[in-house]
Structures are given as structure tokens and as C-alpha cells.
Amino acid sequence: MINAISEIVEIESPSHDPERNRKAADWVEAAFRGIPIDLSIERIAAEGFGDHLLIKAFPENKKGVLVLGHIDTVHPVGTKEKNPTRVEDGRMYGCGIFDMKANVVVMIEALRYLAQTGIRPPLPLTFLLSCDEEVGSFSGRELVENEAVDSEFCLVCEPSSLGRVKTGRKGTGVFTLKAHGLPAHAGLEPERGASAILELARQIEKLQALNDPSAGTSVNVCTIRGGTTTNVIPEHAECTIDVRFTSTAAAKRILSVLRTLKPFDERVTLSVLGDINRPPMERTAAVAALYEKARSIAASFDYELGETQVGGGSDGNFVGALGVPVLDGLGIFGDGAHTLHEHILVSDIAKRATLVTLLLAAG
């Protein structure tokens, strides 16, 4: 598995690079086709990104298990020179290794084990690997939802959180607030101007008031820009707004405020672009039961499996919103997602692969 992980990590595949994403998809498709079992493999082109991969095994006329992952990464081409693929002190480093190329290998090897041992799981298996997850799944979302409606439950091989699986994820929204004011000479007649930057500053304070940490709701302005030069009252300004929430009700509340913002200075006009990107993945009774099943399986080989709820979203959010139980964060123990110290623990590779394999075999 270490050799296979090295091979796929070495194929750099940033989200907006179709050619390199297709090379990664080529590698994954070849690895699946090397398994001694009849498989249905479909590649779905995503303009500007690459190809999604849809792989089906053990077909039966009933709902099955959906296993989700992605082959795109956030790292620009050439980043592997700064974090080369290597093993040091029990850690395996590499760009995209934790999020989540090593876990693609886990999926492949779990299916290989079932094929080589002749174990037929009670439910059909569908593996969906998208090529645009890191940038919002704008083309992948429909595929995920289409497969989810035919699934009993969903396993997501995204990175774990210090080894813990994820039974809840916040929903996400990304917005841009734009202000259009009136320019004027800052020295001669500033009173004739209406500052777009001042308007945004006032709006930001209003947005900060939407934060509710006790309910898991966060609203944060992350970037801001505006103005033309040093001696002109700024006519234009804009800021980006990152929104996270744990419930649909909270999302509706924030969305309502954003859609009805009024300017403090009536001479300034406001516009809000963007929308909710991912619904929340809530910890339902069915999700809790799926976690307990996984925890019991892990305990059968003395592997402790904890759970947590996190702020980041994944394609599992789309599945959970349809009422299908989701167990996320099944990836290998590691750290440093999206950074230059991204790594996994070598000691956890076989353990995590065993857990995923037994989950698939149990159905």
C-alpha cells in the first residue's frame, strides 16, 4: 500500500487542472481494473476539472453502500518539491496524501481483499471519486446525490480528525458583499463622496453579530478590497463572507439577513452574491447507529474508534441532507491537510484499511 500511495501522490492533480486530474483518474481506473472481479467503471467528464469515476461492484437489485472520495487536491503543481513524498519517523509525507489520496488506495485495497478472498458483501458497492470536491463539487454534487438515493448508507473516506470519524459536519456558505458608493476628492470635497469602504466596515460589524458559537454558527469576513487610490473617496469595495452552521434553520436565518441587508448610507448600494454551498451533515439516530456499528467492528481487532463533529464540509453533506446515514472521516490517521507538512501515520494504514474492509463486508 505504501508503494501505491507513493504512486498516486506523485501525480499532482489540483482541482482546476483537467489534464493532471485525468492522469490521476487513469491511475485509479487501472488500479481498480487490476482487481480480479467484474466491475462497472464509468468516467464522467467535468469541464474545467477532469473526470469523475463511478465504479460499481457486486450488483444486485437493491440499495447498496456508497463509498465517497475525491482525486483532486488544493496544492499547485510543483508543491511536491516542497513536501516530497517520503517516509520519515513513522510518518508518510506528501501533497494530498492525507486529503485524500492515501484513502483512495484504502478503497482499492478493501475491494481487492473482498475479491481475492471470495467474500461477497450483502449489499452492492458503489465507489464515487470526484474531481472537483476541493472547490465545491459544482459538477460532482449531482452525481453524489443521484447515487445517494439508491444507497442504504454512505462511507466517506475523507481525512479523519486525529483518528476519529466524523458523525457531523457543519454546512457551508460562501458570499461576496459588494458596495457601490460615490467618488470624490478626499481633500477638496470629501463630503460629496459616499465611501464604499466605510459602508462595508459598518456592515461587517452587523455581520459579526450573527455569530452564535453556542449553536455552532459562524459568520466571518475573510477578505476585503476596495478603493482606487489614496486621495479618492472609494466608490467600490467588496468582501467575502464565510458562513458555517449546524442546522438548516440556522442557514435560513443567516441567508435571510444577507439577502435583506440595507445600507447605512442611503447613497451607497449593496449587492450580495453567492449562496449556501453545502447543507449540514447532522448527527441523526441513524448516523449514531452506523457509528456504533463501526466502533464495534474496530473493537473486534482492538482498534479504538472515536467520533467528532467538525466545521468543514464534504460531499457527505449532500448525502446526509437526503436522509441517508453517513459515516465520514474514515481516512488514515494523519495531519496537515492543505499544508506543507501534510502526512499520514504508517502504523495506521493497515488498521484503517481493515476497518473499511470489514465495514464493506458487513454491509
Side-chain angles (χ1 to χ4, degrees), residues 244-264:
R244 311 278 169 147
F245 45 86
T246 57
S247 69
T248 302
K252 290 180 178 178
R253 176 179 68 88
I254 297 168
L255 194 57
S256 175
V257 173
L258 290 174
R259 297 298 190 212
T260 58
L261 287 175
K262 303 294 183 184
F264 287 86

Side-chain angles (χ1 to χ4, degrees), residues 25 28-29 41-44 51-55 127-129:
V28 174
E29 181 180 357
I41 301 181
E42 182 181 0
R43 291 177 71 142
I44 301 100
D51 291 344
H52 305 296
L53 280 170
L54 184 63
I55 299 132
F127 300 84
L128 176 55
L129 291 158

Side-chain angles (χ1 to χ4, degrees), residues 207-208 210-211 217-221 241-244 254 258:
L207 295 173
Q208 285 297 113
L210 296 174
N211 281 281
T217 301
S218 65
V219 180
N220 289 292
V221 171
I241 307 164
D242 180 280
V243 178
R244 311 278 169 147
I254 297 168
L258 290 174

Side-chain angles (χ1 to χ4, degrees), residues 282-296:
E282 302 186 47
R283 189 186 189 277
T284 63
V287 170
L290 183 57
Y291 162 67
E292 286 301 325
K293 178 180 179 179
R295 190 176 67 84
S296 177

